[in-house]
């Protein structure tokens, strides 16, 4: 499972700046998706070939007793409890403050590895700063400059070193897709889990001990195998599964990282919220195959249904690659269709795309609509090959491919999706310019 790094510190020490730097490598992949607003507090980062999750807690005041500060403190407490490692940020320019001391006192009791990070350290006397912050009792301070990037990569490597690297063990096909059922509180996730697992055979489900691995529950449905990745610490009580923890964003993100196919559950009785869009955006950012289940369809009238369709078209436009199902988890309606789409999305995400067919699809797309000219250069797309799976990566080779507009990339995505019937998975398109078009000019 990917380690989760949680950033803690009083306001204005540079947590957002560090968060952006830690998650920036991935931004390019989902840039300019219409309608997608990123959650500024949860992100994926990568250093070398290691992925990690980053959580930015808002300014944390462990002694706040009420109001918005108290609510923020509560959320920060939950993040601290679910962290694998904590980065405690302080401001090297402002020096040690009483607020820092309160937070330090809280973190010393966290039972998690804590690294003391002195930000804004560019061009300041490190020895003096180190002595000042050493008094917080959290070990040697690590100086960084989040704004300039100094020391950030070394910091990440240091904090991740104790965690085992994910040996992406080949998931054998007969275990079927790993499925995560995600959604905001009360949309009907537990009900859907019970409907999926309920009557059917749950294959040897062992409650794990204290491992930090996500819990997976194998089950069979319609003669096919699936593995459910748990998001909330499901416990079996009597015949039904029940969530023992309340909704947790971190657990949701971990499950998204861990699974092959995300089932995003929406509540038909409610408008699409920012939280729905953020969870969806995270699945997209992670490159996961996705199926959307609009649940509680039994409970809404036609007016509400129409309104919801409009709302979805407007707020979840970036999920156009996914299939949407109207279901009732409670009445077990629409479940067969939902699982069919899970199967299809899984096949699409793991499809083998042969170079000749890809190249033919590319040529047909270009013949229908040529890429727009950029300045003097006329982009030339020569051939395409598959550069990865899960999600499928299509690498296009040619000349002058550096400034292909996003709208044309979208067009190519649609062409490849149609040609290979890739419904349910996002695609990544990369360009490789094989020859510099200006090289032969003088
Ligand atoms: N000199 C210097 N300034 C920095 C550095 N990192 C962040 N800052 C500045 O510090 C200020 C606060 O940065 P933020 O990232 O917004 O701080 P924050 O901790 O997220 O603040 P809250 O959102 O209020 O919790 C901004 O003006 C940043 O430009 C740094 O490495 N060096
Ligand atoms: N009418 C109707 N109600 C449903 C349906 N699915 C779930 N519900 C109801 O919605 C409420 C919330 O369902 P849960 O399954 O607990 O939702 P959840 O997403 O697991 O909630 P959290 O554990 O808070 O994250 C319960 O009262 C369910 O009975 C459905 O298909 N139709």
């Amino acid at each position: 499972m990917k380690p989760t790094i949680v950033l803690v510190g009083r306001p204005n020490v540079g947590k957002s700046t560090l968060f952006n730097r830690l998650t920036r490598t991935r931004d390019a992949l989902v840039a300019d998706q219409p309608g997608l607003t990123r959650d500024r507090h949860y992100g994926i980062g990568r250093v070398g070939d290691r992925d990690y999750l980053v959580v930015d807690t808002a300014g944390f005041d462990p002694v706040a007793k009420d109001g918005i500060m108290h609510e923020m403190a509560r959320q920060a407490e939950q993040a601290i409890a679910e962290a694998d490692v904590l980065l405690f940020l302080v401001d090297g320019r402002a020096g040690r403050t009483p607020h820092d001391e309160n937070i330090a006192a809280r973190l010393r009791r966290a039972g998690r590895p804590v690294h003391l990070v002195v930000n804004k350290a560019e061009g300041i006397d490190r020895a003096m700063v180190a002595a000042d912050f050493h008094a917080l009792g959290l070990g040697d301070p690590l100086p960084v400059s989040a704004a300039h990037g100094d020391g950030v990569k070394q910091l990440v490597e240091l904090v991740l070193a104790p965690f085992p690297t994910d040996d992406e063990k080949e998931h054998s096909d007969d275990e079927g897709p790993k499925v995560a059922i995600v959604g905001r509180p009360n949309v009907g996730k537990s009900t859907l889990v019970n409907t999926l697992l309920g009557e059917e055979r749950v294959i040897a489900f062992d409650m794990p001990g204290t491992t930090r691995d996500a819990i997976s529950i194998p089950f069979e449905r319609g003669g096919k195998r699936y593995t459910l990745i748990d998001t909330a610490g499901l416990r079996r009580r009597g015949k039904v599964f029940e969530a023992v923890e309340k909704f947790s964003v971190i657990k949701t993100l971990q499950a998204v990282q861990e699974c092959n196919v995300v089932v995003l559950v929406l509540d038909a009785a409610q408008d699409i919220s920012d939280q729905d869009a953020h969870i969806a955006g995270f699945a997209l950012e992670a490159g996961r195959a996705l199926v959307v289940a609009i649940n509680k369809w039994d409970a809404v009238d036609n007016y509400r249904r129409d309104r919801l369709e409009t709302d979805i078209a407007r707020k979840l436009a970036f999920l156009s690659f996914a299939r949407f199902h109207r279901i009732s988890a409670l009445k077990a309606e629409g479940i067969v269709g939902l699982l069919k789409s899970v199967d299809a999305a899984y096949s699409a995400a793991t499809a083998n795309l042969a170079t000749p067919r890809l190249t033919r699809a590319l040529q047909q797309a270009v013949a229908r609509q040529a890429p727009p000219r950029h300045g003097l250069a006329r982009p030339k797309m020569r051939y395409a090959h598959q550069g990865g799976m899960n999600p499928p990566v299509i690498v296009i080779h040619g000349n002058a491919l550096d400034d292909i507009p996003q709208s044309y990339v979208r067009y190519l995505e649609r062409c490849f999706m149609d040609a290979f019937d890739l419904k349910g998975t996002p695609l990544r398109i990369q360009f490789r310019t094989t020859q510099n078009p200006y090289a032969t000019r003088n």
Side-chain angles (χ1 to χ4, degrees):
M1 202 163 63
K2 315 275 186 273
T4 302
I5 301 173
V6 172
L7 311 182
V8 188
R10 62 180 179 79
N12 220 36
V13 292
K15 295 185 299 300
S16 315
T17 311
L18 183 61
F19 175 84
N20 287 339
R21 202 165 271 286
L22 291 175
T23 57
R24 190 150 74 187
T25 48
R26 288 296 195 99
D27 275 8
L29 298 177
V30 289
D32 301 327
Q33 291 283 349
L36 176 67
T37 54
R38 302 188 67 235
D39 189 317
R40 290 180 299 104
H41 297 287
Y42 299 88
I44 312 170
R46 169 179 281 239
V47 56
D49 55 1
R50 301 196 65 174
D51 289 322
Y52 50 86
L53 299 172
V54 193
V55 179
D56 175 15
T57 60
F60 178 41
D61 188 350
V63 294
K65 285 281 175 288
D66 45 38
I68 178 110
M69 291 309 287
H70 178 67
E71 174 54 24
M72 273 156 50
R74 209 184 51 72
Q75 286 181 18
E77 288 288 355
Q78 193 183 353
I80 290 170
E82 293 175 350
D84 291 309
V85 55
L86 295 160
L87 294 187
F88 174 28
L89 251 75
V90 292
D91 183 334
R93 281 162 200 260
R96 177 162 50 95
T97 70
H99 197 159
D100 291 334
E101 282 163 19
N102 286 337
I103 297 175
R106 170 67 192 85
L107 294 184
R108 283 196 299 268
R109 292 184 283 108
R112 295 274 181 283
V114 180
H115 297 272
L116 175 60
V117 180
V118 180
N119 189 31
K120 314 192 188 180
E122 74 276 4
I124 59 176
D125 181 345
R126 294 192 176 185
M128 229 166 76
V129 169
D132 184 23
F133 287 108
H134 214 273
L136 290 173
L138 286 165
D140 285 337
L142 307 162
V144 303
S145 169
H148 299 269
D150 308 337
V152 174
K153 186 159 177 271
Q154 295 88 319
L155 174 70
V156 181
E157 283 166 354
L158 179 85
V159 305
L160 293 185
F163 297 96
T165 42
D166 252 355
D167 48 349
E168 297 282 350
K169 60 173 172 348
E170 268 312 303
H171 185 69
S172 95
D173 264 352
D174 27 301
E175 290 168 47
K178 293 192 276 182
V179 181
I181 295 178
V182 304
R184 67 188 155 90
N186 217 40
V187 293
K189 298 181 297 295
S190 306
T191 310
L192 179 57
V193 167
N194 283 315
T195 301
L196 287 173
L197 301 184
E199 322 100 62
E200 299 290 323
R201 197 156 67 96
V202 175
I203 307 158
F205 168 47
D206 293 320
M207 224 52 211
T210 51
T211 61
R212 52 184 291 285
D213 286 341
I215 300 170
S216 39
I217 309 172
F219 70 102
E220 261 180 32
R221 183 94 198 190
K224 286 197 163 152
R225 285 190 165 214
Y226 303 87
T227 301
L228 198 69
I229 306 292
D230 182 21
T231 51
L234 291 175
R235 297 288 177 273
R236 189 157 207 168
R237 184 168 297 176
K239 273 205 71 153
V240 297
F241 284 86
E242 209 171 76
V244 290
E245 294 172 38
K246 48 186 189 42
F247 177 76
S248 153
V249 184
I250 294 179
K251 290 252 158 56
T252 300
L253 304 189
Q254 287 172 336
V256 166
Q257 283 288 312
E258 205 73 14
C259 73
N260 304 118
V261 183
V262 171
V263 174
L264 172 67
V265 185
L266 303 174
D267 182 342
Q270 309 279 330
D271 285 345
I272 305 299
S273 70
D274 284 353
Q275 203 176 6
D276 292 321
H278 284 150
I279 297 173
F282 198 84
L284 180 72
E285 198 178 347
R288 287 295 166 265
L290 180 92
V291 182
V292 182
I294 309 173
N295 190 32
K296 310 194 190 179
W297 200 245
D298 60 291
V300 293
D301 59 19
N302 283 337
Y303 167 76
R304 180 70 226 151
R305 290 176 180 185
D306 286 347
R307 188 182 148 143
L308 191 69
E309 302 290 349
T310 321
D311 205 31
I312 287 174
R314 199 157 54 87
K315 296 185 188 150
L316 299 179
F318 57 93
L319 297 185
S320 61
F321 66 89
R323 284 205 170 98
F324 285 66
H325 287 263
R326 282 105 193 125
I327 69 161
S328 168
L330 199 60
K331 299 191 169 168
E333 287 165 7
I335 307 299
V336 174
L338 182 73
L339 283 177
K340 274 209 177 108
S341 286
V342 168
D343 294 338
Y346 182 54
S347 311
T350 54
N352 270 311
L353 313 173
T355 301
R357 275 189 69 200
L358 271 176
T359 301
R360 216 172 317 128
L362 174 69
Q363 285 164 347
Q364 282 165 358
V366 171
R368 271 199 303 275
Q369 189 183 325
R373 200 179 257 285
H374 179 79
L376 288 175
R378 156 74 74 190
K380 265 224 155 50
M381 303 191 174
R382 300 194 183 283
Y383 70 98
H385 81 270
Q386 184 170 14
M389 257 183 207
N390 233 330
V393 180
I394 296 173
V395 185
I396 298 177
H397 298 256
N399 308 131
L401 302 181
D402 294 336
D403 292 297
I404 303 292
Q406 277 300 317
S407 56
Y408 195 78
V409 176
R410 290 278 121 69
Y411 163 73
L412 288 177
E413 277 172 14
R414 281 196 303 277
C415 292
F416 287 123
M417 284 199 170
D418 289 347
F420 290 88
D421 199 15
L422 293 180
K423 199 73 184 163
T425 179
L427 275 186
R428 308 271 196 238
I429 294 190
Q430 295 173 356
F431 296 103
R432 294 252 202 296
T433 294
T434 31
Q435 188 193 317
N436 181 348
Y438 300 102
T440 53
R441 294 199 189 165
N442 42 19

